[in-house]
Amino acid sequence: MVLAFVMLSFTAVLGAGGSLPEEKPLVPWGLIRPDLVGDVNGDGEVDALDASLVLQYDAKLIDGESLLLENADVNSDKEVDALDASLILQLDAKLIPGFFVNSILQLVNELRAENGLDAVVLDDTLCRVAQIKADDMTDNGYFDNISPTHGSSLDMLRRLGVNTLTSLSENIAKGQKTVPDVIKTWSGKPSQLSNMLMDDVTKMGVGYNPKENIWVQIFTD
């Protein structure tokens, strides 16, 4: 079962109130990905040392000759900067599922390239919202774009101070066990495929809960 949620004009009334939960670790999900995105120094680990090296490189305190810069660009925006360092720290703390996030980003951008569209980049706020939604559906036994706990993605983003969006879309899925499977499922549904191929979005967030294999994908401009 797959649902999509597209909002091109924002007239939604804020739903559930209160603050969003703090980020929490996922069920253990193993290695980030075979090439260890985030492993900047090549020691086989993704940790605070890698984040520190990214910050030093961004500040031009060190050169990149001894760094694996292809692993440092965690959000695939062709820049190595403080945002990558932040994502590395979240990967280290198991707050975001790097294997799934980066694999979905890669496949979505391949689809977009095939259709003449610009790539999207990962956004840590969107990843946080997507992960909260995936966990909420798992913990509370429902499957819907509107959370009885938190409201819509728009509600959640507004409570995090994101108030200037002009485009937002969301895909959710349940039961797929691999990234290729969930991308294939979304690609096979016109509304979900359309969400991945919107030409006015630039950012993406991904959430995944392995207990029920629930996936959330959010796009914004």
Side-chain angles (χ1 to χ4, degrees):
M1 181 178 181
V2 182
L3 296 180
F5 176 56
V6 182
M7 297 175 58
L8 299 179
S9 61
F10 295 110
T11 57
V13 177
L14 287 180
S19 59
L20 296 177
E22 294 297 322
E23 296 97 332
K24 62 181 181 180
L26 296 175
V27 173
W29 41 262
L31 290 176
I32 292 171
R33 56 183 288 186
D35 59 354
L36 281 175
V37 164
D39 179 19
V40 180
N41 61 359
D43 66 354
E45 302 289 339
V46 177
D47 52 28
L49 178 56
D50 296 300
S52 174
L53 290 170
V54 167
L55 289 174
Q56 292 177 66
Y57 175 79
D58 183 39
K60 296 181 173 53
L61 298 176
I62 59 174
D63 60 40
E65 291 184 3
S66 62
L67 305 181
L68 298 176
L69 293 180
E70 66 275 16
N71 285 354
D73 183 16
V74 180
N75 65 351
S76 299
D77 66 352
K78 297 183 172 58
E79 301 286 342
V80 175
D81 53 26
L83 178 55
D84 295 303
S86 173
L87 290 169
I88 287 171
L89 289 174
Q90 293 179 68
L91 290 169
D92 180 37
K94 305 296 188 293
L95 297 178
I96 58 176
F99 173 84
F100 297 102
V101 168
N102 286 288
S103 296
I104 287 179
L105 179 69
Q106 178 181 347
L107 292 180
V108 166
N109 280 334
E110 287 177 3
L111 276 174
R112 292 179 65 84
E114 290 169 4
N115 287 271
L117 299 171
D118 292 336
V120 294
V121 299
L122 286 177
D123 179 87
D124 53 354
T125 299
L126 293 181
C127 284
R128 179 186 176 192
V129 168
Q131 189 59 51
I132 290 171
K133 292 198 73 171
D135 291 340
D136 190 55
M137 281 189 274
T138 300
D139 294 343
N140 293 297
Y142 72 95
F143 183 67
D144 198 276
N145 294 103
I146 306 300
S147 163
T149 312
H150 306 298
S152 70
S153 294
L154 177 61
D155 297 333
M156 298 168 73
L157 287 167
R158 282 177 170 170
R159 290 202 295 279
L160 290 172
V162 180
N163 297 304
T164 59
L165 298 177
T166 58
S167 181
L168 182 150
S169 63
E170 177 181 296
N171 289 334
I172 62 176
K174 181 178 180 179
Q176 295 80 6
K177 295 183 179 180
T178 69
V179 168
D181 283 346
V182 75
I183 293 294
K184 182 178 180 180
T185 300
W186 283 330
S187 297
K189 303 288 185 179
S191 58
Q192 285 77 39
L193 179 61
S194 177
N195 287 343
M196 293 190 287
L197 297 180
M198 292 177 67
D199 61 4
D200 58 347
V201 298
T202 60
K203 302 174 185 176
M204 183 181 74
V206 177
Y208 171 73
N209 190 296
K211 184 176 181 181
E212 298 291 338
N213 289 310
I214 290 180
W215 308 78
V216 179
Q217 183 183 51
I218 302 173
F219 296 93
T220 68
D221 57 280

